[in-house]
Amino acid sequence: MDDRTVRWLRGAVAALVFVTAAYHLWWGFPRMLVYLQATTALAGQGIPPDPRPFLFVGFAVAVLAGPYLVTRDVVSLRRAYQAGLVLMVLSFVAWVAWHETGHGALFTDLPAPETDAGHSHGGTVLHTVYDHYVTEPVEGVIKTVELTAAALFAVLLRNDPDARE
């Protein structure tokens, strides 16, 4: 692959990573602060906090750390591509698992919460993905961004001459 294409793909994947990290911070950070303030009250009532805000912020920090660590020669380009690919796929798989298990009801003795968005759960994974694209288009766009980033990481991992070890 020529240098110009590789540079373009690096820029595209960097933009996609920034978009997904920005979304995860936008959604997770304020909720994380609320849960941190309410931790004692929730624990006193036996209600586990929603783990997603903490996971979203951790995910965003991890994906944003990649470019920084590469530019400081702490992580090789190849390892960064591998980590980016794994993180993007993991985010998608975790999203599907969350929705297929009744919004985390799997982790508690509580029933699955009702949703206000009008989407349904159960059935096939493809139905869940499609249903969220229709009823929660922002989630659909973010999942598309993540899967596109994963695909570009795979292409770069295979074709970027600077990522060969």
Side-chain angles (χ1 to χ4, degrees):
M1 187 174 287
D2 66 35
D3 285 344
R4 185 175 183 199
T5 304
V6 168
R7 280 195 314 271
W8 188 90
L9 289 173
R10 284 180 186 170
V13 80
L16 295 172
V17 163
F18 178 77
V19 166
T20 193
Y23 171 78
H24 282 83
L25 284 173
W26 169 81
W27 191 92
F29 191 73
R31 287 167 177 83
M32 183 183 77
L33 293 177
V34 169
Y35 278 122
L36 285 174
Q37 292 172 346
T39 299
T40 306
L42 289 172
Q45 296 175 13
I47 300 172
D50 184 348
R52 292 175 301 161
F54 303 99
L55 295 171
F56 276 37
V57 171
F59 172 77
V61 169
V63 298
L64 290 175
Y68 176 81
L69 295 174
V70 168
T71 60
R72 301 297 183 261
D73 289 326
V74 175
V75 173
S76 71
L77 199 52
R78 181 172 187 75
R79 293 282 183 230
Y81 290 162
Q82 290 169 335
L85 174 61
V86 167
L87 285 170
M88 293 299 128
V89 171
L90 182 63
S91 178
F92 183 81
V93 169
W95 177 82
V96 169
W98 178 262
H99 289 283
E100 287 297 308
T101 60
H103 291 162
L106 166 78
F107 303 112
T108 67
D109 292 333
L110 304 171
E114 295 295 320
T115 63
D116 295 334
H119 59 263
S120 61
H121 296 94
T124 67
V125 171
L126 289 177
H127 178 265
T128 299
V129 171
Y130 169 77
D131 198 41
H132 280 77
Y133 269 90
V134 172
T135 60
E136 299 280 344
V138 172
E139 283 186 30
V141 169
I142 292 301
K143 294 304 132 188
T144 300
V145 165
E146 291 171 359
L147 291 177
T148 304
L152 292 182
F153 276 126
V155 168
L156 284 165
L157 188 58
R158 183 177 177 103
N159 296 306
D160 187 343
D162 294 337
R164 297 215 168 90
E165 286 183 294

